[in-house]
Amino acid sequence: MTEKEKMLKGEIYDANYNEELLNERQHAKEMCYKYNNLNPSKLDEKKKIIKDLFGKTDKNFFIEQPFQCDYGYNVEIGENFYANINLTLLDANKIKFGNNVFVGPNCSFYTSGHPIDIKTRNQGLEYAKPIEIGDNVWIGGSVVVLPGVKIGSNSVIGAGSVVVKDIPKNSVAVGNPCKVIKN
């Protein structure tokens, strides 16, 4: 099994020394650089870069500059997706956003995690678990979503939250760690 196959299956893989993955991350960095350095009025060019970079997009979406991702091809965004400035997507595994998702500024979605064991971690090994955001979700500013989390449809995540476990649909959740405070 290749390191990329291990990565996409959520198994421990070599992220730091595998040439295929290094090249793919370099390509995504170059695409992000191009995107982030376009004149903000170049909407068609910006949309084309995202469509080329991401695994799936719908017709209507907007991502403010600047934005960063690891690979791009593991990101899927639904219709009416909006992300404010400084979106970070560590997409070593799938990050899927439903329809009508709004992401505040300075938000980060991390599919990647590192082993607790020092010896394994120091070998440059890591794992990646998918993240899924349902439809009609609003994510407040400076939210961090960790590996393997699912946020249910029609939910709101309060600003500054660190989402470490699944949030059920139709919830308002806040805090570090993020907890449901209202249905």
Side-chain angles (χ1 to χ4, degrees):
M1 188 179 319
T2 68
E3 296 305 307
K4 184 174 181 176
E5 290 169 334
K6 291 179 199 174
M7 176 181 83
L8 295 172
K9 287 187 174 196
E11 297 178 7
I12 296 289
Y13 69 99
D14 179 355
N16 292 321
Y17 305 108
N18 180 266
E19 191 171 333
E20 178 184 20
L21 296 178
L22 289 169
N23 289 337
E24 289 180 350
R25 284 197 307 274
Q26 184 62 34
H27 171 74
K29 287 181 192 325
E30 290 169 7
M31 297 288 283
C32 289
Y33 178 84
K34 184 176 177 182
Y35 184 87
N36 292 328
N37 286 285
L38 278 173
N39 183 305
S41 67
K42 302 287 186 181
L43 300 178
D44 289 341
E45 289 178 54
K46 288 173 31 177
K47 191 169 256 190
K48 181 179 181 342
I49 290 170
I50 295 299
K51 283 186 167 286
D52 290 345
L53 183 61
F54 283 5
K56 178 185 172 287
T57 65
D58 273 328
K59 189 175 181 179
N60 188 31
F61 63 88
F62 193 82
I63 299 172
E64 298 284 359
Q65 297 160 289
F67 130 84
Q68 297 295 324
C69 68
D70 271 348
Y71 297 94
Y73 57 74
N74 284 323
V75 178
E76 297 181 6
I77 57 175
E79 188 66 14
N80 299 320
F81 177 84
Y82 174 81
N84 212 319
I85 61 171
N86 295 322
L87 174 66
T88 300
L89 303 170
L90 300 187
D91 64 310
N93 208 313
K94 288 278 186 202
I95 301 176
K96 183 177 180 181
F97 295 94
N99 298 320
N100 304 306
V101 173
F102 301 98
V103 179
N106 304 310
C107 288
S108 300
F109 298 80
Y110 306 148
T111 65
S112 300
H114 301 279
I116 304 262
D117 175 68
I118 295 167
K119 187 176 180 182
T120 306
R121 186 174 62 241
N122 286 346
Q123 293 173 22
L125 302 176
E126 64 182 48
Y127 63 88
K129 303 290 184 189
I131 293 172
E132 187 173 329
I133 311 300
D135 296 332
N136 308 307
V137 172
W138 174 26
I139 297 175
S142 299
V143 167
V144 176
V145 179
L146 295 181
V149 166
K150 292 181 183 178
I151 298 174
S153 293
N154 310 315
S155 292
V156 175
I157 307 299
S161 295
V162 178
V163 188
V164 299
K165 63 181 184 178
D166 293 354
I167 302 297
K169 65 182 181 175
N170 303 312
S171 298
V172 176
V174 299
N176 181 4
C178 189
K179 293 181 179 164
V180 175
I181 61 165
K182 181 179 177 183
N183 288 314

